[in-house]
Amino acid sequence: MDSKTKANEDLETLTCPITLQFFRDPVIAADGHAYERVAIVKWIEKHGTSPMTREPLNIADLISDGYLKHLASQRRTSTVSQITQDNSCVIPVISENVSEHSYPADLMAYNRNLTRLKKGTRCMQIACLIMVIAASLTCMILGLTIGIARKNNSETAITQTIPISNNYSTTVTSPSTTTSNPTIPTDARWVQNAVTVAGGIPGGSGTDQFLWPYGLTIGDNQTIFVADYGNHRIVQWNIDNSFGLVVAGGRGAGNQLNQLNHPIVVLIDKDTSSLIICDYGNRRVLQWSLQSGTTQGEILLDGIFCSGLAIDQQRNIYVSSPETFEVTRYQMGSTNGTVVAGGYGAGVGLNQFSWPTYLFVDLNQNVYVSDMLNNRVMKWSKGAQEGIIVASSSAMKKKLTPRGLFVDTSGTLYVVDAGNQRVLRWLDEPDQGTVIAGGNGVGLQKNQLNSPIGLAFDQQGNMYVADSFNCRIQQFSIE
C-alpha cells in the first residue's frame, strides 16, 4: 500500500461521513460509526436512523471519543500548517462552522476503520494511526515539491498576474448554446496521460488555482466553467489560457446574492446565457447571468438540500436530495416540483436511494442518478415508478463509488469512480464497467487522479475530469 493510499484511509478515519470534515467533537453511535456530534444529532432528530446502516439511532446513546478527537486535532493542525506555509492541496482544511452540511472533495468516508476504533485494541490502533499520519505527511511533502516545480515553470513563462474580477464586465464568455452530447464510438480509447487544462498549481485562491474543484461544464468553444468548492466561486477557464476568471461568487463564503457557499455543480442555461449553480452550503439553486456587469445571482430554489443538479432541453431543472432521497423536477422559474425518481425513503430497493448525488438527464428525459451509498447508478425512465441499475460493482473487484456522470447519444454511460481514482464506461452489462482513464492509484502523475468528482465531454469526445484533491482539471484526449 503506497503512502497516498494510506493518507486517504487516514482521512476517512478522521472525518465525519456527514460533514466530511475533520472531527472536532466526535461521538460513536450504536451503529459502530463515528460522527461529528452536531451533525449526527441533527440527522437523528430529522430521520431517527443511521445515515450509514439505516438502523434506528438514539441521541442518548451517543458516546464521546476523546482519543479520536485528539488524533483529528493533530491531523487538522499539521494540515493547516502545511497548507498555510506551502499552498499545498492534499487534504481539505475544514471550516469553523460544523453545524451546516458540507461536502469536501471525495464523499467516500464509509468509516471502515471506526468499528475497530470502538472495539479493537487501542495500543495497536495508536501505532497504526501514527504510521499513517507519518506516511500522509511524507505524501504531502512529495506533492508540494512537484507543485512548486510546476508553479516555478509557470511563473517563468507568465510574468503578469490577472487579479480576481469583481465586476465580470469585460472578458466573460457568454456561450450561445451548451455543448450537444457527442456521438462516441463504443470502442473509443483516450490518451492515458492527461493534459492539465485548468489549475494544477497547488491549491489556493489565485486565478491560476482551485481549491477542490467539483462539477464542471463545457461550452461550445471549449470554455470550461468549474465549481470551485473551497473558494466559494465559479471560474471560467479557456483551455489555452493559464488563468481563469471568476464569474460568480469569489467574495468568501456567505449567503448574500453576490456570494456562494461551497458550490458543487454548475450548468449552462443556453436560452439565457446564464449559469445554474447548486449552492450546496446555502441550500439553494441560483441563476447567474453571464452578461457584462452582472454582480449577483438570482435564487431559483431555496431551502433545499441539493447534492446534484441537471437541466434538460426543455429547461426543466432536476435536483437530487440526500435528505428526502429523491430527485425532483422543476420548471424553470417555478418552485413547485414533481418527484421523478425515488421518494420512497432510504433503502436498496429499485424505487429508493441511499444518498443520491450527481445527475444526468438525456434527450428523452431519462434520469441517471449516482446512488452513492448503494454503490450504484440508477436510470429512471420518464414516468417510471422505479429505476433500473445501469452500473454497479456486484461483479467487480473494487466497490463502485460513483460521482460525476455522462451519457452520450448512443446511450453509453460514463461514471467517475472517485474512491478508485478512475473513470469507467458501461455499455450493456450493469455489473462490469471498463476503465477508460485513471485507475493507477492516487497521485499527481499524468495518468493518475486523486478523488475525481466532475465529468464532462466536448463535441469531439475529449474527456474532462475535475481531479479534486489535485486541484486541477484534466483533459483526456480521444485517440
Side-chain angles (χ1 to χ4, degrees):
M1 181 182 296
D2 60 35
S3 61
K4 288 209 170 189
T5 301
K6 291 180 180 178
N8 272 10
E9 288 190 357
D10 185 30
L11 175 63
E12 294 178 12
T13 301
L14 300 178
T15 55
C16 170
I18 299 175
T19 68
L20 298 200
Q21 298 185 354
F22 285 120
F23 287 118
R24 290 181 179 274
D25 185 14
V27 292
I28 301 293
D31 61 358
H33 296 286
Y35 304 93
E36 186 64 39
R37 183 187 298 275
V38 173
I40 190 59
V41 167
K42 292 179 69 174
W43 182 277
I44 294 173
E45 287 176 345
K46 184 173 183 63
H47 301 286
T49 59
S50 163
M52 306 298 288
T53 67
R54 306 306 173 195
E55 63 185 274
L57 290 183
N58 294 313
I59 295 175
D61 296 331
L62 300 177
I63 302 173
S64 297
D65 193 321
Y67 170 68
L68 193 56
K69 180 177 181 179
H70 173 69
L71 288 175
S73 176
Q74 285 186 326
R75 178 61 181 275
R76 183 172 60 250
T77 301
S78 65
T79 300
V80 172
S81 175
Q82 189 74 20
I83 291 178
T84 300
Q85 294 173 18
D86 302 314
N87 289 328
S88 175
C89 182
V90 178
I91 302 297
V93 181
I94 75 172
S95 65
E96 294 296 328
N97 183 5
V98 298
S99 63
E100 296 294 331
H101 290 292
S102 74
Y103 204 93
D106 181 23
L107 187 58
M108 62 177 182
Y110 298 109
N111 283 332
R112 291 189 296 263
N113 297 322
L114 291 177
T115 300
R116 292 199 295 272
L117 280 172
K118 182 181 180 185
K119 300 178 180 179
T121 303
R122 287 289 186 183
C123 293
M124 183 174 293
Q125 291 160 355
I126 293 172
C128 291
L129 285 170
I130 289 175
M131 291 173 63
V132 168
I133 292 171
S136 68
L137 290 175
T138 302
C139 155
M140 292 166 64
I141 293 171
L142 177 61
L144 167 67
T145 302
I146 296 172
I148 290 176
R150 294 188 60 188
K151 185 171 184 179
N152 289 338
N153 290 338
S154 174
E155 289 173 347
T156 300
I158 302 168
T159 59
Q160 181 179 7
T161 300
I162 303 174
I164 295 178
S165 171
N166 288 322
N167 53 26
Y168 324 121
S169 60
T170 58
T171 57
V172 176
T173 298
S174 297
S176 60
T177 179
T178 54
T179 301
S180 301
N181 283 6
T183 300
I184 302 173
T186 56
D187 60 350
R189 296 170 60 89
W190 287 263
V191 174
Q192 293 303 292
N193 287 333
V195 175
T196 300
V197 294
I201 304 299
S205 60
T207 54
D208 60 347
Q209 297 173 300
F210 295 116
L211 196 58
W212 318 309
Y214 266 49
L216 73 161
T217 190
I218 311 291
D220 278 347
N221 52 4
Q222 290 188 313
T223 299
I224 306 172
F225 294 88
V226 182
D228 188 1
Y229 172 92
N231 285 318
H232 314 288
R233 66 190 186 184
I234 306 299
V235 180
Q236 172 189 308
W237 204 298
N238 295 321
I239 286 180
D240 294 333
N241 290 355
S242 298
F243 294 87
L245 177 71
V246 178
V247 293
R251 295 178 170 87
N255 60 7
Q256 301 301 308
L257 289 178
N258 64 350
Q259 293 178 302
L260 299 171
N261 187 0
H262 296 311
I264 61 173
V265 182
V266 58
L267 307 171
I268 300 173
D269 177 15
K270 61 181 182 180
D271 287 359
T272 60
S273 290
S274 63
L275 301 177
I276 308 298
I277 303 167
C278 177
D279 190 10
Y280 182 87
N282 284 325
R283 302 171 68 94
R284 66 188 183 184
V285 176
L286 293 178
Q287 184 173 28
W288 202 298
S289 175
L290 289 171
Q291 298 300 318
S292 297
T294 302
T295 59
Q296 66 182 37
E298 174 187 353
I299 297 175
L300 295 179
L301 300 169
D302 201 8
I304 58 172
F305 189 6
C306 172
S307 60
L309 191 65
I311 187 171
D312 66 19
Q313 294 293 313
Q314 291 73 41
R315 298 181 68 234
N316 296 307
I317 295 175
Y318 298 74
V319 177
S320 62
S321 172
E323 250 183 352
T324 57
F325 309 102
E326 63 191 18
V327 178
T328 305
R329 182 180 64 222
Y330 298 87
Q331 290 185 341
M332 184 70 72
S334 173
T335 58
N336 296 320
T338 301
V339 175
V340 296
Y344 295 92
V348 299
L350 294 179
N351 62 352
Q352 295 177 303
F353 295 116
S354 183
W355 208 283
T357 56
Y358 285 83
L359 302 175
F360 189 92
V361 179
D362 66 18
L363 295 176
N364 297 317
Q365 294 185 321
N366 298 311
V367 181
Y368 296 78
V369 186
S370 280
D371 189 9
M372 193 189 66
L373 292 185
N374 281 331
N375 307 106
R376 66 189 185 184
V377 177
M378 302 292 292
K379 174 185 176 182
W380 285 65
S381 300
K382 186 176 181 179
Q385 298 302 307
E386 64 180 29
I388 61 173
I389 299 173
V390 291
S392 73
S393 50
S394 59
M396 301 173 66
K397 294 181 179 179
K398 297 181 179 180
K399 183 178 292 185
L400 177 66
T401 53
R403 299 297 186 272
L405 304 174
F406 191 88
V407 181
D408 66 20
T409 54
S410 67
T412 300
L413 172 67
Y414 303 84
V415 182
V416 171
D417 185 7
N420 295 307
Q421 327 302 333
R422 61 189 184 179
V423 181
L424 300 172
R425 172 173 57 194
W426 264 269
L427 296 173
D428 299 316
E429 298 297 328
D431 295 336
Q432 189 67 50
T434 302
V435 179
I436 60 172
N440 300 303
V442 177
L444 283 164
Q445 300 303 312
K446 294 180 179 180
N447 67 342
Q448 293 180 305
L449 299 168
N450 188 355
S451 298
I453 301 291
L455 179 66
F457 287 79
D458 65 21
Q459 191 76 310
Q460 290 71 44
N462 300 311
M463 178 169 55
Y464 300 80
V465 180
D467 189 11
S468 190
F469 273 16
N470 283 334
C471 300
R472 63 189 183 181
I473 305 300
Q474 296 293 85
Q475 181 196 63
F476 293 87
S477 298
I478 192 168
E479 293 183 349

